[in-house]
Amino acid sequence: MSLVPAGPSFVALGGGHGLSATLSALRLMSDQLTAVVTVADDGGSSGRLRDELGVLPPGDLRMALAALCDDTEWGRTWRDVLQHRFSSSGDLDRHAVGNLLIVALWELLGDTVEGLDWVGRLLGARGRVLPMAAVPLEIEADVDKGDGTIGVVRGQSAVAVVGERITSVRLVPDAPPACAEAVAAVDGADWVVLGPGSWFTSVLPHLLVPDLAAALHRTSAGRILVLNLAPDAGETDGMRAEDYIDVLLRHAPDLRIDAVVADPGAVEDVGVLVERTAAIGARLLLRQVGSSDGSPRHDPLRLAAALRDVVDDYLGDVGTRTGDS
């Protein structure tokens, strides 16, 4: 039996280390968790498997599963196995064991979601991990060249290090089929959490999958936006705290946001951020959520406390389902 109260149901959307940080916090609050993960990675072990086998890139899915592992010797050991990378002079070099395991299950079972559920059972995962789309995706970005022209950069790994101001992103294909289970999870959630993470390559893509975006707009869940602690070198260089909100709404202008969580140390002008969040009808919660060592990483306990503040303040305002306590 879980030692954590069931709590409200959360859906966290993102990818990579940002999503792992959110999941590490949410697992302290509830055991009703679903991670919806971007599937546009085209680099490293994931990119190689994607290119060779035509599968969804498994890396971000693996990281989300690892973040939800059972906090026992069994769970932690299997988490470490999943995260282990080979080092060799051959074809296995830098492949993650978990990536190979996930792809093997996909081939054996013929079902992406079922394969991820099996890995979750192996880990004793607290929650479920789902892809945001049913097919591999590519990210294409328009970038300001600084000379009055707009260039196009294609591929997640290229966009992540572009080093020029990104004005917009889109997916290829431009209307991919959503994972049906991910859509259902958003529809049934009490709370949806977007961010932190690589803004253009991990956070925004969820708003570009039509059926998933529709669910994010219609759900009765409260929507929480967690801002980054520092710009990503290459992808979001020079972006201020309020710019993350502007970029999000430029890609989804009708999306309702109920709360924005930001670390005061990552906010250049609190007054501007307060005005920007108020203008979209959201409440700003300034909380110290960064790691105590000063690195730009979210601390799970601090982030959990901030998210708990949002839930406590908003339950009853956003709406609760019958039987919630």
Side-chain angles (χ1 to χ4, degrees):
M1 180 180 294
S2 172
L3 298 179
V4 177
S9 60
F10 289 93
V11 174
L13 301 99
H17 295 287
L19 179 58
S20 293
T22 301
L23 296 174
S24 296
L26 290 176
R27 61 177 292 162
L28 302 175
M29 301 170 59
S30 175
D31 57 8
Q32 298 187 79
L33 307 178
T34 302
V36 179
V37 184
T38 185
V39 286
D41 192 3
D42 60 355
S45 171
S46 287
R48 290 158 61 191
L49 290 168
R50 169 181 173 159
D51 290 344
E52 185 172 342
L53 301 174
V55 295
L56 296 177
D60 285 349
L61 296 160
R62 182 198 81 245
M63 290 180 64
L65 284 161
L68 293 175
C69 77
D70 188 33
D71 192 21
T72 61
E73 182 181 13
W74 176 276
R76 292 189 297 270
T77 298
W78 278 109
R79 174 201 64 196
D80 292 344
V81 170
L82 249 65
Q83 299 288 58
H84 177 74
R85 290 186 185 273
F86 295 106
S87 178
S88 76
S89 58
D91 292 340
L92 280 176
D93 186 50
R94 305 307 299 158
H95 267 306
V97 173
N99 289 353
L100 301 176
L101 175 62
I102 290 169
V103 172
L105 281 164
W106 287 344
E107 290 194 348
L108 287 170
L109 300 174
D111 187 295
T112 299
V113 171
E114 187 181 1
L116 294 170
D117 286 344
W118 270 93
V119 179
R121 289 167 60 185
L122 177 65
L123 291 165
R126 187 189 303 281
R128 196 179 194 194
V129 173
L130 300 168
M132 72 174 185
V135 297
L137 304 174
E138 285 192 280
I139 294 176
E140 196 171 76
D142 291 334
V143 298
D144 186 343
K145 305 298 289 183
D147 59 3
T149 64
I150 298 295
V152 176
V153 177
R154 186 165 180 172
Q156 178 172 317
S157 56
V159 172
V161 297
V162 65
E164 296 168 308
R165 187 174 70 88
I166 299 172
T167 60
S168 65
V169 292
R170 54 192 165 271
L171 297 178
V172 180
D174 61 0
C179 171
E181 291 86 350
V183 172
V186 171
D187 278 331
D190 293 314
W191 293 91
V192 171
V193 183
L194 277 164
S198 300
W199 216 246
F200 291 98
T201 55
S202 291
V203 178
L204 290 180
H206 294 82
L207 301 171
L208 305 177
V209 178
D211 287 345
L212 184 58
L216 289 168
H217 281 76
R218 70 174 175 254
T219 182
S220 62
R223 300 165 181 84
I224 306 170
L225 186 65
V226 181
L227 300 185
N228 289 355
L229 295 171
D232 294 322
E235 185 170 325
T236 54
D237 275 342
M239 282 181 60
R240 296 162 62 94
E242 61 271 16
D243 294 333
Y244 292 97
I245 299 174
D246 292 344
V247 167
L248 185 80
L249 294 181
R250 195 157 66 238
H251 289 80
D254 298 323
L255 182 67
R256 190 190 82 239
I257 300 295
D258 297 293
V260 176
V261 176
D263 190 300
V267 178
E268 295 83 355
D269 190 322
V270 172
V272 170
L273 187 58
V274 169
E275 291 177 359
R276 197 64 49 88
T277 53
I280 64 171
R283 179 181 175 186
L284 175 64
L285 280 89
L286 289 173
R287 298 289 189 271
Q288 186 177 3
V289 292
S291 174
S292 59
D293 64 9
S295 62
R297 296 180 297 111
H298 285 79
D299 178 88
L301 286 171
R302 290 175 173 177
L303 182 55
L307 294 172
R308 172 56 64 186
D309 283 348
V310 174
V311 171
D312 288 346
D313 286 345
Y314 274 89
L315 279 177
D317 290 337
V318 172
T320 59
R321 290 175 172 77
T322 303
D324 283 349
S325 59

